[in-house]
Amino acid sequence: MIEVKDLTKKYGNFTAVRDVSFEVEKGEILGFLGPNAAGKTTTMRVLTCFMPATAGTARVAGFDTFRQSLDVRRRVGYLPENVPLYQDMRVRPYLEFIAKIKDIPSRDRRKAVNRVIELTALEEVEHRIVGHCSKGYRQRVGLAQALIHDPDVLILDEPTNGLDPKQINEVREVIKGLAGDHTIILSSHILPEVSKTCERVVIIDQGRIVAGDTPANLDARLRGSQSISAQIRGPVSEVMDLLKQKDGVVDVKTRSSLGDGLWQYDIDVLPGRDLRSEVASSVVGSNWDLVELTTAGMSLEEIFLELTTQEGEGD
Protein backbone atom coordinates (compact mmCIF):
# COMPACT_ATOMS: atom_id res chain seq x y z
CA MET A 1 0.00 0.00 0.00
CA ILE A 2 2.92 2.36 0.79
CA GLU A 3 6.36 1.93 -0.78
CA VAL A 4 9.24 4.25 0.02
CA LYS A 5 12.57 3.66 -1.71
CA ASP A 6 15.84 5.55 -1.22
CA LEU A 7 13.96 8.71 -0.22
CA THR A 8 16.17 11.76 0.31
CA LYS A 9 15.13 15.31 1.17
CA LYS A 10 17.57 18.22 1.37
CA TYR A 11 17.07 21.79 2.53
CA GLY A 12 20.01 23.60 0.96
CA ASN A 13 23.11 21.91 2.34
CA PHE A 14 21.21 20.18 5.13
CA THR A 15 19.98 16.62 4.50
CA ALA A 16 16.88 16.00 6.62
CA VAL A 17 16.18 12.50 5.26
CA ARG A 18 18.76 10.26 3.62
CA ASP A 19 18.10 7.06 1.63
CA VAL A 20 14.99 6.08 3.60
CA SER A 21 13.26 2.88 2.47
CA PHE A 22 10.31 1.01 4.00
CA GLU A 23 6.94 -0.52 3.10
CA VAL A 24 3.55 -0.64 4.80
CA GLU A 25 1.10 -3.43 4.02
CA LYS A 26 -2.60 -2.88 3.48
CA GLY A 27 -4.51 -2.64 6.78
CA GLU A 28 -1.34 -2.35 8.88
CA ILE A 29 -0.58 0.24 11.57
CA LEU A 30 3.08 1.21 11.31
CA GLY A 31 4.77 3.21 14.03
CA PHE A 32 7.25 5.70 12.60
CA LEU A 33 9.45 6.32 15.58
CA GLY A 34 12.31 8.69 16.24
CA PRO A 35 13.55 11.55 18.41
CA ASN A 36 12.65 15.14 17.60
CA ALA A 37 14.28 16.38 14.37
CA ALA A 38 14.99 12.81 13.23
CA GLY A 39 13.21 13.25 9.88
CA LYS A 40 9.75 11.93 10.73
CA THR A 41 7.71 14.98 9.76
CA THR A 42 9.73 15.54 6.58
CA THR A 43 8.99 11.97 5.48
CA MET A 44 5.29 12.44 6.27
CA ARG A 45 5.18 15.63 4.22
CA VAL A 46 6.67 13.88 1.20
CA LEU A 47 4.17 11.02 1.50
CA THR A 48 1.24 13.45 1.64
CA CYS A 49 2.55 15.47 -1.35
CA PHE A 50 3.07 18.51 0.86
CA MET A 51 6.58 18.75 -0.57
CA PRO A 52 8.60 16.84 -3.18
CA ALA A 53 11.55 14.60 -2.43
CA THR A 54 15.03 15.58 -3.56
CA ALA A 55 15.73 12.00 -4.65
CA GLY A 56 14.18 8.55 -4.41
CA THR A 57 10.56 7.51 -4.83
CA ALA A 58 7.42 7.16 -2.73
CA ARG A 59 4.24 5.43 -3.86
CA VAL A 60 0.93 5.45 -2.02
CA ALA A 61 -1.87 3.08 -3.09
CA GLY A 62 0.10 2.49 -6.28
CA PHE A 63 0.49 6.17 -7.21
CA ASP A 64 3.72 8.15 -7.31
CA THR A 65 3.70 11.09 -4.89
CA PHE A 66 5.52 13.36 -7.35
CA ARG A 67 4.02 12.47 -10.74
CA GLN A 68 0.51 11.54 -9.53
CA SER A 69 0.05 13.77 -6.51
CA LEU A 70 -3.70 14.39 -7.01
CA ASP A 71 -4.38 10.65 -7.09
CA VAL A 72 -2.36 10.24 -3.90
CA ARG A 73 -4.17 13.09 -2.12
CA ARG A 74 -7.57 11.59 -2.91
CA ARG A 75 -6.52 8.41 -1.12
CA VAL A 76 -4.76 9.90 1.88
CA GLY A 77 -6.06 11.37 5.11
CA TYR A 78 -3.48 13.54 6.86
CA LEU A 79 -3.36 14.74 10.45
CA PRO A 80 -0.32 17.04 10.80
CA GLU A 81 1.37 17.65 14.12
CA ASN A 82 -0.18 21.12 14.40
CA VAL A 83 -3.75 20.71 13.19
CA PRO A 84 -4.72 23.62 10.86
CA LEU A 85 -8.36 24.14 11.87
CA TYR A 86 -10.61 27.10 11.18
CA GLN A 87 -10.96 28.26 14.77
CA ASP A 88 -14.00 30.52 14.19
CA MET A 89 -16.18 27.83 12.55
CA ARG A 90 -18.43 25.43 14.41
CA VAL A 91 -17.44 21.77 14.34
CA ARG A 92 -20.23 20.39 12.13
CA PRO A 93 -20.14 23.20 9.54
CA TYR A 94 -16.36 22.90 9.43
CA LEU A 95 -16.59 19.18 8.67
CA GLU A 96 -19.28 19.86 6.06
CA PHE A 97 -16.91 22.35 4.44
CA ILE A 98 -14.08 19.79 4.46
CA ALA A 99 -16.42 17.20 2.90
CA LYS A 100 -17.18 19.66 0.11
CA ILE A 101 -13.57 20.54 -0.71
CA LYS A 102 -12.67 16.82 -0.67
CA ASP A 103 -15.22 16.28 -3.46
CA ILE A 104 -17.66 14.16 -1.51
CA PRO A 105 -20.93 14.30 -3.51
CA SER A 106 -23.53 16.60 -1.92
CA ARG A 107 -25.97 13.71 -1.41
CA ASP A 108 -23.37 11.86 0.69
CA ARG A 109 -21.94 14.72 2.77
CA ARG A 110 -24.33 14.57 5.70
CA LYS A 111 -23.79 10.82 6.02
CA ALA A 112 -20.00 11.28 5.89
CA VAL A 113 -20.08 14.01 8.55
CA ASN A 114 -22.34 11.94 10.81
CA ARG A 115 -20.02 8.96 10.42
CA VAL A 116 -16.84 10.77 11.49
CA ILE A 117 -18.59 12.65 14.31
CA GLU A 118 -19.70 9.32 15.74
CA LEU A 119 -16.35 7.64 15.07
CA THR A 120 -14.36 10.35 16.85
CA ALA A 121 -16.98 10.95 19.58
CA LEU A 122 -17.63 14.60 18.73
CA GLU A 123 -21.38 14.59 19.40
CA GLU A 124 -21.00 16.69 22.54
CA VAL A 125 -19.24 19.53 20.71
CA GLU A 126 -20.53 19.31 17.14
CA HIS A 127 -22.30 22.70 17.45
CA ARG A 128 -19.49 24.37 19.38
CA ILE A 129 -17.01 26.82 17.85
CA VAL A 130 -13.79 24.96 17.10
CA GLY A 131 -11.63 27.52 18.89
CA HIS A 132 -13.72 27.08 22.05
CA CYS A 133 -13.12 23.31 22.16
CA SER A 134 -10.50 21.72 24.38
CA LYS A 135 -7.18 20.56 22.94
CA GLY A 136 -8.44 16.97 23.01
CA TYR A 137 -11.59 17.78 21.06
CA ARG A 138 -9.65 19.88 18.53
CA GLN A 139 -7.37 16.91 17.97
CA ARG A 140 -10.43 14.75 17.36
CA VAL A 141 -11.77 17.31 14.88
CA GLY A 142 -8.44 17.06 13.08
CA LEU A 143 -8.75 13.28 12.99
CA ALA A 144 -12.34 13.58 11.75
CA GLN A 145 -11.29 15.80 8.82
CA ALA A 146 -8.59 13.28 7.90
CA LEU A 147 -11.17 10.48 7.88
CA ILE A 148 -14.13 12.19 6.27
CA HIS A 149 -13.50 10.97 2.71
CA ASP A 150 -12.85 7.42 3.97
CA PRO A 151 -9.25 7.29 2.66
CA ASP A 152 -7.28 4.13 2.02
CA VAL A 153 -4.28 5.56 3.88
CA LEU A 154 -4.06 7.60 7.09
CA ILE A 155 -0.88 9.49 7.95
CA LEU A 156 -0.93 10.76 11.52
CA ASP A 157 1.92 12.96 12.71
CA GLU A 158 2.10 13.02 16.53
CA PRO A 159 -1.69 12.46 16.86
CA THR A 160 -1.72 12.61 20.67
CA ASN A 161 0.63 15.58 21.02
CA GLY A 162 -0.36 17.72 24.03
CA LEU A 163 -3.24 15.53 25.19
CA ASP A 164 -3.86 14.38 28.75
CA PRO A 165 -3.78 10.62 29.57
CA LYS A 166 -7.56 10.19 29.22
CA GLN A 167 -7.58 11.93 25.84
CA ILE A 168 -4.56 9.93 24.68
CA ASN A 169 -6.36 6.68 25.49
CA GLU A 170 -9.50 7.81 23.65
CA VAL A 171 -7.59 8.80 20.50
CA ARG A 172 -5.55 5.58 20.69
CA GLU A 173 -8.70 3.45 20.74
CA VAL A 174 -10.08 5.30 17.72
CA ILE A 175 -6.86 4.68 15.78
CA LYS A 176 -6.71 1.00 16.70
CA GLY A 177 -10.31 0.60 15.57
CA LEU A 178 -9.36 1.86 12.11
CA ALA A 179 -6.81 -0.90 11.44
CA GLY A 180 -7.77 -3.32 8.70
CA ASP A 181 -10.00 -0.88 6.85
CA HIS A 182 -7.23 1.71 6.64
CA THR A 183 -3.45 1.55 6.28
CA ILE A 184 -1.96 3.81 8.94
CA ILE A 185 1.41 5.42 9.56
CA LEU A 186 1.59 6.86 13.05
CA SER A 187 4.57 9.13 13.57
CA SER A 188 5.58 9.70 17.17
CA HIS A 189 8.42 10.14 19.65
CA ILE A 190 6.16 8.92 22.49
CA LEU A 191 7.24 5.32 23.00
CA PRO A 192 4.27 3.93 24.97
CA GLU A 193 1.95 5.33 22.31
CA VAL A 194 3.66 3.35 19.56
CA SER A 195 4.01 0.14 21.57
CA LYS A 196 0.29 0.10 22.47
CA THR A 197 -1.02 1.00 19.03
CA CYS A 198 1.29 -0.33 16.32
CA GLU A 199 2.00 -3.82 15.03
CA ARG A 200 5.38 -2.89 13.58
CA VAL A 201 7.83 -0.03 14.00
CA VAL A 202 10.34 1.76 11.82
CA ILE A 203 12.94 3.72 13.79
CA ILE A 204 14.58 6.75 12.19
CA ASP A 205 17.47 8.72 13.63
CA GLN A 206 19.40 11.61 12.08
CA GLY A 207 17.51 11.14 8.83
CA ARG A 208 18.32 7.44 8.42
CA ILE A 209 16.36 4.26 9.12
CA VAL A 210 18.17 2.37 11.87
CA ALA A 211 15.69 -0.50 12.29
CA GLY A 212 12.32 -1.81 11.17
CA ASP A 213 10.49 -4.81 12.61
CA THR A 214 8.08 -5.86 15.34
CA PRO A 215 9.18 -4.84 18.86
CA ALA A 216 9.65 -8.52 19.74
CA ASN A 217 11.92 -9.20 16.76
CA LEU A 218 13.93 -6.05 17.42
CA ASP A 219 14.39 -7.20 20.99
CA ALA A 220 15.72 -10.58 19.83
CA ARG A 221 18.06 -8.99 17.28
CA LEU A 222 19.55 -6.59 19.83
CA ARG A 223 20.04 -9.26 22.45
CA GLY A 224 21.24 -11.90 19.99
CA SER A 225 18.82 -14.11 21.89
CA GLN A 226 15.37 -14.30 23.39
CA SER A 227 14.67 -14.28 27.09
CA ILE A 228 12.56 -16.25 29.57
CA SER A 229 11.82 -15.05 33.08
CA ALA A 230 11.25 -17.72 35.73
CA GLN A 231 10.48 -17.65 39.44
CA ILE A 232 11.74 -20.90 41.01
CA ARG A 233 11.97 -22.02 44.63
CA GLY A 234 14.92 -24.38 44.98
CA PRO A 235 18.68 -24.52 45.62
CA VAL A 236 20.14 -21.73 43.51
CA SER A 237 23.33 -23.48 42.36
CA GLU A 238 21.46 -26.64 41.32
CA VAL A 239 18.76 -24.65 39.53
CA MET A 240 21.42 -22.70 37.66
CA ASP A 241 23.27 -25.86 36.63
CA LEU A 242 20.08 -27.52 35.38
CA LEU A 243 19.00 -24.50 33.34
CA LYS A 244 22.44 -23.98 31.79
CA GLN A 245 22.52 -27.60 30.58
CA LYS A 246 19.44 -27.11 28.41
CA ASP A 247 20.10 -27.21 24.67
CA GLY A 248 19.45 -23.72 23.29
CA VAL A 249 20.16 -21.84 26.51
CA VAL A 250 22.74 -19.08 25.99
CA ASP A 251 23.01 -17.73 29.54
CA VAL A 252 21.28 -17.85 32.93
CA LYS A 253 21.33 -15.13 35.58
CA THR A 254 19.64 -14.64 38.92
CA ARG A 255 17.88 -11.31 38.99
CA SER A 256 16.70 -11.10 42.60
CA SER A 257 15.69 -13.01 45.69
CA LEU A 258 11.94 -12.89 46.35
CA GLY A 259 12.23 -14.37 49.83
CA ASP A 260 11.53 -17.80 51.31
CA GLY A 261 13.93 -19.51 48.90
CA LEU A 262 12.24 -18.06 45.82
CA TRP A 263 14.50 -16.57 43.14
CA GLN A 264 13.87 -14.91 39.82
CA TYR A 265 15.98 -16.15 36.90
CA ASP A 266 16.60 -14.59 33.48
CA ILE A 267 17.21 -17.31 30.88
CA ASP A 268 18.55 -16.21 27.49
CA VAL A 269 17.80 -18.67 24.69
CA LEU A 270 18.61 -18.80 20.99
CA PRO A 271 16.22 -16.83 18.72
CA GLY A 272 13.22 -18.87 17.63
CA ARG A 273 13.52 -21.35 20.50
CA ASP A 274 10.70 -21.56 23.03
CA LEU A 275 12.01 -23.62 25.94
CA ARG A 276 9.28 -22.80 28.45
CA SER A 277 7.65 -26.22 28.45
CA GLU A 278 11.03 -27.96 28.72
CA VAL A 279 12.13 -25.71 31.57
CA ALA A 280 8.83 -26.27 33.37
CA SER A 281 9.09 -30.06 33.07
CA SER A 282 12.65 -30.10 34.40
CA VAL A 283 11.89 -27.82 37.35
CA VAL A 284 8.79 -29.74 38.39
CA GLY A 285 10.61 -33.05 37.83
CA SER A 286 13.29 -31.90 40.27
CA ASN A 287 10.60 -31.28 42.92
CA TRP A 288 11.18 -27.53 42.93
CA ASP A 289 8.38 -24.97 42.95
CA LEU A 290 7.79 -23.17 39.68
CA VAL A 291 5.85 -20.02 40.60
CA GLU A 292 6.04 -18.12 37.30
CA LEU A 293 7.38 -18.68 33.78
CA THR A 294 7.03 -15.97 31.12
CA THR A 295 8.78 -14.63 28.07
CA ALA A 296 10.62 -11.40 28.74
CA GLY A 297 12.00 -8.72 26.49
CA MET A 298 13.31 -5.21 26.20
CA SER A 299 10.72 -2.47 26.27
CA LEU A 300 10.28 -0.40 23.14
CA GLU A 301 11.93 2.44 25.06
CA GLU A 302 15.01 0.32 25.71
CA ILE A 303 15.11 -0.77 22.05
CA PHE A 304 14.78 2.83 20.89
CA LEU A 305 17.53 4.10 23.18
CA GLU A 306 19.83 1.24 22.24
CA LEU A 307 19.44 1.81 18.51
CA THR A 308 19.62 5.59 18.52
CA THR A 309 22.59 5.59 20.91
CA GLN A 310 24.45 3.09 18.71
CA GLU A 311 23.74 5.23 15.66
CA GLY A 312 25.00 8.37 17.35
CA GLU A 313 28.18 6.70 18.57
CA GLY A 314 28.97 5.47 15.09
CA ASP A 315 28.89 8.97 13.49
Side-chain angles (χ1 to χ4, degrees), residues 16 30 49 63 96 112 114 137 156 182 218 231 243 259 290 293:
L30 176 78
C49 308
F63 297 97
E96 290 169 348
N114 289 341
Y137 275 122
L156 311 177
H182 304 270
L218 288 173
Q231 292 182 10
L243 295 175
L290 178 62
L293 184 63

Side-chain angles (χ1 to χ4, degrees), residues 20-181:
V20 164
S21 298
F22 63 91
E23 295 184 1
V24 190
E25 299 296 329
K26 184 175 181 179
E28 183 181 12
I29 302 180
L30 176 78
F32 199 57
L33 181 65
N36 289 325
K40 302 187 303 298
T41 294
T42 296
T43 304
M44 301 297 98
R45 288 176 173 175
V46 171
L47 288 175
T48 55
C49 308
F50 185 86
M51 62 173 63
T54 305
T57 60
R59 300 181 67 84
V60 176
F63 297 97
D64 185 272
T65 57
F66 182 72
R67 293 182 292 106
Q68 300 165 297
S69 65
L70 287 178
D71 293 298
V72 171
R73 294 178 198 195
R74 291 188 183 101
R75 291 161 176 82
V76 169
Y78 180 37
L79 177 65
E81 182 176 0
N82 298 307
V83 187
L85 303 173
Y86 290 111
Q87 302 288 333
D88 56 347
M89 293 185 71
R90 297 185 186 274
V91 171
R92 178 174 280 274
Y94 167 74
L95 292 174
E96 290 169 348
F97 169 70
I98 295 296
K100 182 177 181 180
I101 64 174
K102 289 192 176 183
D103 286 334
I104 297 176
S106 57
R107 65 180 180 276
D108 297 328
R109 287 174 199 159
R110 179 177 291 274
K111 181 179 179 181
V113 171
N114 289 341
R115 177 179 61 83
V116 294
I117 284 177
E118 180 180 357
L119 185 62
T120 56
L122 286 169
E123 294 92 343
E124 186 176 330
V125 299
E126 63 178 293
H127 301 298
R128 190 178 299 175
I129 294 172
V130 171
H132 295 174
C133 295
S134 68
K135 168 70 173 176
Y137 275 122
R138 292 199 303 273
Q139 200 76 353
R140 291 194 216 177
V141 173
L143 186 56
Q145 66 80 27
L147 286 165
I148 199 162
H149 59 305
D150 197 22
D152 296 325
V153 174
L154 276 172
I155 296 180
L156 311 177
D157 193 358
E158 304 282 0
T160 60
N161 185 37
L163 303 186
D164 64 37
K166 181 175 183 294
Q167 293 166 343
I168 288 173
N169 187 63
E170 291 169 350
V171 171
R172 179 191 300 144
E173 291 305 311
V174 171
I175 293 170
K176 288 170 67 176
L178 297 171
D181 295 327

Side-chain angles (χ1 to χ4, degrees), residues 265-292:
Y265 298 83
D266 290 333
I267 310 163
D268 290 338
V269 302
L270 293 173
R273 301 288 299 274
D274 188 350
L275 300 181
R276 286 176 295 176
S277 60
E278 189 173 340
V279 168
S281 296
S282 297
V283 170
V284 173
S286 300
N287 294 319
W288 301 326
D289 293 333
L290 178 62
V291 177
E292 183 177 276

